Amino acid sequence: MARFLVVPQWQGSPSSRAMAHIDGAEAIAGDLPRAACTFVDVPLEAGDTLETGVLRASALLRTADGVRAALEDLPAPVIVVGGDCGVSVAAIGHVAAQTDEPLALVWFDAHGDLHAPGSSPSGAYAGMALRAVLGEGAPGLVLPPGLVPPERVVLAGVRMLDPEEDELLAESGMASLAPAELERADALADAVAATGARRVYVHVDLDVLDPAHIAGVSSPEPFGVAPAALVAAIGALRARVELAGATVAGFTPATPSAAVEDMGAILRIIGALA
């Protein structure tokens, strides 16, 4: 049975509706086997920046500690249910450090999440999450540099980058697949295979989907990925590379009752991962 770690973190989001991440995580968890779910306590308060340049850093640090502690007691692979995208950073760090076997990372997202505190227009950690995985950002909120190097990262479905992120992507050695490229199911698996890694962590921010297929995201971007293409890409990837862990994040339904409208697509994605 797949194991799920439910992390209703909202403090990393730049949205005025950030706390809707709590409703989103709880809605997803409500459709999962209760016995397979472990819940991380997320602080109720917003938290302090701690002079890091990251909004609500103190709360984010506490939640990251909770994620790492919970993962120590769970058999791999674990699917993390967010919450904002920042929940993936500690989880990826935990998985990457378990063995010396190289880990590839697939980051499904409409956005790059490649800001650092000095370049971020919002100060929100979710917009810095992938940069933090690469080892750059505020102390305590980043992984050790080189643990997941950029040449083993595939940014998939991205279509909205700020100029600073675009420049970093061009210089970093990361692979990038546009939504149209993901219509060929093997494109993602080919990109991950090219990294040389034999295990992979898959992060899915639900805003990678086209807005025609999902309503409950805080920053929808047009011309996204269809659920069928996303599910097929994950399936083709899992047929060739070991899944070491995964995250599904970014669900922000307008109201708890509205969550049901998107659950079909979300559960198909979770099914492909699990």
Side-chain angles (χ1 to χ4, degrees):
M1 177 186 294
R3 296 293 309 188
F4 302 94
L5 185 64
V6 184
V7 192
Q9 175 178 283
W10 58 272
Q11 289 92 339
S13 171
S15 172
S16 61
R17 297 180 53 250
M19 294 188 75
H21 284 90
I22 301 173
D23 296 332
E26 292 178 348
I28 295 172
D31 273 346
L32 300 175
R34 193 72 178 183
C37 293
T38 299
F39 292 79
V40 171
D41 289 330
V42 173
L44 294 176
E45 68 271 18
D48 190 84
T49 62
L50 302 177
E51 299 183 353
T52 62
V54 179
L55 293 177
R56 311 171 184 132
S58 62
L60 296 168
L61 287 165
R62 285 174 57 189
T63 301
D65 287 342
V67 169
R68 286 186 286 265
L71 288 172
E72 289 288 346
D73 297 327
L74 294 175
V78 175
I79 299 174
V80 177
V81 176
D84 64 71
C85 288
V87 302
S88 275
V89 180
I92 293 166
H94 173 84
V95 170
Q98 293 307 294
T99 74
D100 292 332
E101 182 71 32
L103 178 74
L105 171 62
V106 172
W107 195 271
F108 281 109
D109 205 309
H111 310 91
D113 296 349
L114 286 168
H115 277 290
S119 69
S120 171
S122 67
Y125 185 55
M128 310 178 197
L130 182 51
R131 186 79 168 266
V133 170
L134 298 175
E136 298 180 41
L141 290 169
V142 300
L143 302 187
L147 186 63
V148 182
E151 59 269 21
R152 291 208 299 268
V153 176
V154 180
L155 185 54
V158 66
R159 52 200 184 274
M160 181 58 67
L161 293 169
D162 291 333
E164 298 89 347
E165 295 178 299
D166 200 23
E167 182 178 350
L168 178 65
L169 179 61
E171 296 174 351
S172 67
M174 278 186 285
S176 178
L177 294 173
E181 294 177 278
L182 292 169
E183 293 175 6
R184 183 174 70 85
D186 286 334
L188 179 64
D190 290 345
V192 172
T195 71
R198 291 183 291 183
R199 61 189 191 121
V200 63
Y201 193 102
V202 176
H203 165 97
V204 181
D205 183 340
L206 291 168
D207 69 15
V208 75
L209 296 175
D210 190 89
H213 298 287
I214 192 162
V217 295
S218 58
S219 299
E221 302 291 349
F223 309 113
V225 182
L230 180 58
V231 168
I234 292 171
L237 175 64
R238 292 202 62 191
R240 292 168 59 179
V241 184
E242 176 191 354
L243 182 72
T247 296
V248 175
F251 187 35
T252 56
T255 64
S257 60
V260 68
E261 299 173 11
D262 293 321
M263 287 308 301
I266 294 170
L267 292 175
R268 287 176 65 195
I269 295 165
I270 290 175
L273 293 167

